[in-house]
Amino acid sequence: MWLKLALGLLIATLGTAAGGEEITSGSAFLSPDLRRQQDDPTRNPAWFWVEQGQELFSRKPGASQACSQCHAEPERSLRGAATHYPRVDAGTGQLLNLEGRIEQCRVERQKQPAFGYESGELLALTAYVASLSRGLPMDVETRGPAQPFYDAGRAFFERRQGQLNLSCKQCHDGLVGQKLRGDTISHGAGTGYPAYRLEWDGVGSLHRRLRACSLGVRATQFDYGAPEYLALELYLAGRARGLPIETPAMRR
């Protein structure tokens, strides 16, 4: 299947997204039934992670303050925060996604050990904080200090990689709407993550999905939170500017 796709990609026209149309959310490529399930909190299993995150947000870790003690009324104070991530941290100059910001607060302010990527706690907290911005448009900064990271992410997106010699752009610009292993190729917008994927039978981060793509083209899988994936995440977020956050989304 992958070899057949690779041969088709060699003659695919590259450039603008799928012939120049607007970038659309991954939800646009779901079946009607799955979209209805995603939009119903009583049927979308990802809301269990959001509820766990809400509980963690209010829990004091040891003698430290709870997140809610700094961020009172999070439904108001953190509304819209997730729309600006990934972003460059002014203090360190590092690019942080939402998971990175939560880990930074836990280590530096709560004086607790980091949860670690893909841990249940970090996925739950990230899903909860992102859900507070549900429905608001993505609005990441891609200029100024963010420009080098954004450019690196675009270069990653356009670079052919792996044994199959494929780039992200060839699928997510050139073959949008076509089928791959029973799934429909989307524009690659990450506006629903952390998301519940049926193939995972659970919630996972965008970086877990990126690692799966790297494996699919038989390229190097970078670590969760690696600079390469952070830069790519910023570029994807820039492409998705104006699309609403859908966390917690469902995907196949």
Side-chain angles (χ1 to χ4, degrees), residues 134-146:
R134 188 174 169 88
L136 296 183
M138 288 294 298
D139 188 24
V140 295
E141 182 57 69
T142 58
R143 297 164 299 179

Side-chain angles (χ1 to χ4, degrees), residues 80-119:
T83 66
H84 303 301
Y85 282 88
R87 68 187 302 173
V88 176
D89 179 57
T92 65
Q94 294 181 329
L95 183 65
L96 296 178
N97 59 5
L98 191 56
E99 289 94 330
R101 177 64 76 189
I102 291 171
E103 291 281 61
Q104 184 188 63
C105 286
R106 179 168 171 82
V107 172
E108 296 183 3
R109 300 188 181 185
Q110 293 183 318
K111 308 301 180 184
Q112 298 294 312
F115 288 123
Y117 246 97
E118 294 310 295
S119 64

Side-chain angles (χ1 to χ4, degrees), residues 12-68:
T13 300
L14 303 182
T16 54
E21 78 273 18
E22 293 182 9
I23 301 294
T24 53
S25 160
S27 294
F29 302 90
L30 298 177
S31 68
D33 286 344
L34 192 55
R35 198 176 310 156
R36 283 192 292 270
Q37 183 179 356
Q38 171 186 261
D39 295 338
D40 184 350
T42 67
R43 298 178 60 215
N44 181 344
W47 282 100
F48 287 112
W49 278 259
V50 173
E51 292 169 3
Q52 181 189 4
Q54 184 176 19
E55 192 276 328
L56 286 170
F57 195 86
S58 301
R59 183 194 303 172
K60 293 179 64 174
S64 302
Q65 287 188 321
C67 304
S68 58

